[in-house]
Amino acid sequence: MNTLESQPHFTADSAFSQLVPALYHAPWPTDDMLEKLPFGRDLAGLVDHERDPKDNRDTPGHVRAVVKKALQINENGLGAVVPTDNDELLYEMAELECDYLAIYESPEMTAKGWSAEAAKGYIAVCALYHDIGKVIQRDRHPTIGYYHLQYSAEQPALRGMFRTELDYWLFLHIIRFHDVFGVVSTGEGSLSALVDLIPMREMSEAERLGILHLFLRINLADIAGTVPVRESKIRNMMSDLRRAAAAMPAGGKGTQPTEGLAFREALIAADISVGRAVARIGRMLAEPGLPEYQDVGLDIVIERELMAIQGSNVRQFANTFSHVCKLDYLLRFVRALQNNAKEQGKPVRTVVNAFVALLCRVVNEYGDLTYRLGGDRRRIGIALKGWTREPGTTTKLCNMLFDDTHLALQWATEEATAWFYD
């Protein structure tokens, strides 16, 4: 491998240029290589039980696995990490792989120094560093890792690995948002969360799509390094990528530059229908994996309950819901709610009704925050960690939702907080 030609985004003879071919030989740096890498001691800490935070014991095997999965995706496409015999799904993944290769070999990307081969090296390095924030704290580690890389003493050495400021920026950007595709695929995030992945400056569609593909591949490697990738997971991720592409003027097939703000608004508008709200709720209920929540007819149950609660306000709710960019830690509660209901013998419909009521209450409570003075809309996040802060609280809230829903909604709302994305 000619490192200079195949890795144009890293400075010649840099540790990163040496790292890429080394990872293909063995998907983890040697001790000597770690000493040369910026933040190498922190990387070593990710695979050292003695240095791991108490709540982070899955990290040693996980980080190595993610690097290995990223290399498999590089060599054999998305299907390399998705166990399936479904011919239709295999075809869809192969089709998306062709789109990815076409983008990275396009004249627009070539002019900026990209190629499919260059992307492989970039993905490998990002996979190695993606969880660097976990040396400090597991929760919110993407954001923590982003700031850790920027404001630690080794930052100049890290910057020196990259040829341009744009290459350096993209690396930091991937660290910060490496889990967004996975979050959107579960319903915890709305499609508008993908706005954060793309700069607001003028870009060609090839550039925007190229960035989205990078994020999808790294996020997929992250998931595959933790658990087997279910068919529904990769279908949702690919669907979200295609919907983001469709928000571009040429549907992701052209190269016409468009204003960043216009793309942002188009992406949000793609998620404001009642149907999209129902689909998002369905994803959240299906994510824990219990078979009774995988029923294709569950969307009708969700829609009926949503209509019963919201009435004529249902379209306004869906619009507001699309601006709720993140429902932080909600899936932990969904799992607890479903398991609690299963232990008590509660039917699926009871769980759906309770969950939709809970979601409506929280979104309506904080929905006014999506409006700016003058009528513009902003994206918000709602933090729900308080619902699963400790097991006794979670159990009590679950039981209360079934027995005294109104009181449970009041309590749950008091335990929620919101923040601004925009």
Side-chain angles (χ1 to χ4, degrees):
M1 176 185 293
N2 187 319
T3 302
L4 183 60
E5 291 182 1
S6 62
Q7 297 305 317
H9 305 290
F10 307 136
T11 53
D13 300 322
S14 68
F16 278 6
S17 288
Q18 299 168 27
L19 172 66
V20 173
L23 286 178
Y24 277 90
H25 178 72
W28 190 258
T30 63
D31 291 343
D32 289 341
M33 178 61 73
L34 283 171
E35 289 183 7
K36 298 177 183 178
L37 294 174
F39 297 91
R41 185 173 181 276
D42 290 335
L43 290 174
L46 291 176
V47 296
D48 180 359
H49 278 302
E50 296 300 320
R51 292 188 57 200
D52 250 3
K54 285 185 178 180
D55 64 346
N56 202 26
R57 291 305 185 191
D58 70 328
T59 298
H62 172 71
V63 180
R64 296 177 188 271
V66 172
V67 175
K68 185 176 181 179
K69 296 298 182 181
L71 297 178
Q72 291 174 353
I73 293 172
N74 278 347
E75 291 306 300
N76 299 300
L78 305 181
V81 298
V82 180
T84 181
D85 294 323
N86 186 313
D87 289 338
E88 180 186 358
L89 179 57
L90 289 169
Y91 176 82
E92 289 178 16
M93 289 189 289
E95 187 177 43
L96 197 68
E97 190 71 17
C98 291
D99 290 344
Y100 161 77
L101 293 173
I103 289 164
Y104 274 92
E105 296 297 337
S106 68
E108 292 77 23
M109 296 298 279
T110 301
K112 296 183 178 298
W114 284 100
S115 67
E117 192 65 32
K120 288 181 180 180
Y122 208 93
I123 288 170
V125 174
C126 288
L128 179 63
Y129 279 82
H130 81 286
D131 270 351
I132 199 76
K134 286 185 178 179
V135 297
I136 300 173
Q137 180 178 310
R138 180 182 178 83
D139 289 342
R140 304 192 69 81
H141 68 271
T143 301
I144 291 171
Y146 169 77
Y147 287 108
H148 178 55
L149 292 177
Q150 282 205 84
Y151 297 105
S152 298
E154 294 179 77
Q155 184 274 336
L158 178 64
R159 172 61 186 88
M161 297 291 104
F162 297 91
R163 288 181 178 272
T164 70
E165 194 65 29
L166 180 59
D167 293 331
Y168 172 59
W169 167 85
L170 182 57
F171 173 81
L172 293 173
H173 198 57
I174 288 173
I175 301 304
R176 185 175 190 177
F177 297 111
H178 70 259
D179 65 342
V180 170
F181 258 105
V183 170
V184 174
S185 76
T186 67
E188 262 195 331
S190 67
L191 191 67
S192 65
L194 298 183
V195 166
D196 292 319
L197 309 188
I198 308 296
M200 290 295 99
R201 64 178 176 81
E202 289 273 339
M203 299 181 74
S204 71
E205 291 188 8
E207 290 178 86
R208 285 200 175 113
L209 282 168
I211 290 174
L212 289 176
H213 274 277
L214 282 184
F215 273 100
L216 185 145
R217 294 167 87 85
I218 291 166
N219 205 163
L220 180 59
D222 192 12
I223 295 167
T226 308
V227 295
V229 181
R230 297 202 301 262
E231 290 186 9
S232 59
K233 172 67 71 174
I234 187 61
R235 285 186 188 279
N236 287 341
M237 293 176 75
M238 292 192 299
S239 173
D240 292 334
L241 177 60
R242 291 191 178 103
R243 289 199 295 135
M248 300 179 193
K253 297 297 184 183
T255 57
Q256 174 186 353
T258 55
E259 293 181 5
L261 187 61
F263 173 64
R264 173 190 183 278
E265 299 306 327
L267 201 57
I268 293 174
D271 222 26
I272 64 174
S273 70
V274 175
R276 289 309 314 165
V278 170
R280 183 178 174 188
I281 295 170
R283 286 187 182 189
M284 285 186 276
L285 290 168
E287 179 61 23
L290 293 180
E292 55 266 41
Y293 296 93
Q294 313 302 316
D295 190 330
V296 294
L298 201 63
D299 59 344
I300 298 299
V301 180
I302 295 169
E303 181 177 332
R304 285 177 178 173
E305 187 62 20
L306 192 60
M307 295 291 291
I309 293 173
Q310 294 293 338
S312 61
N313 191 50
V314 68
R315 288 181 176 79
Q316 180 59 41
F317 168 84
N319 195 327
T320 298
F321 193 35
S322 71
H323 288 79
V324 179
C325 198
K326 182 76 183 294
L327 292 159
D328 227 11
Y329 301 107
L330 178 59
L331 283 180
R332 293 183 183 180
F333 184 76
V334 174
R335 290 187 180 94
L337 183 66
Q338 291 179 353
N339 289 332
N340 185 279
K342 192 170 186 177
E343 291 173 3
Q344 296 186 44
K346 301 286 186 183
V348 169
R349 182 180 292 274
T350 299
V351 177
V352 173
N353 292 354
F355 181 64
V356 172
L358 183 63
L359 199 58
C360 286
R361 176 64 176 264
V362 172
V363 172
N364 288 337
E365 187 73 21
Y366 289 101
D368 286 348
L369 297 179
T370 66
Y371 290 91
R372 299 179 188 271
L373 291 177
D376 291 339
R377 301 295 291 270
R378 64 158 64 91
R379 297 173 303 147
I380 66 169
I382 303 177
L384 304 169
K385 193 174 183 179
W387 297 358
T388 54
R389 186 168 47 243
E390 61 91 23
T393 298
T394 305
T395 299
K396 195 169 188 65
L397 181 54
C398 289
N399 290 336
M400 193 180 292
L401 272 170
F402 299 136
D403 300 331
D404 193 341
T405 305
H406 293 296
L407 187 60
L409 296 181
Q410 179 180 340
W411 182 20
T413 303
E414 291 175 359
E415 290 289 341
T417 57
W419 76 94
F420 294 133
Y421 262 78
D422 294 323

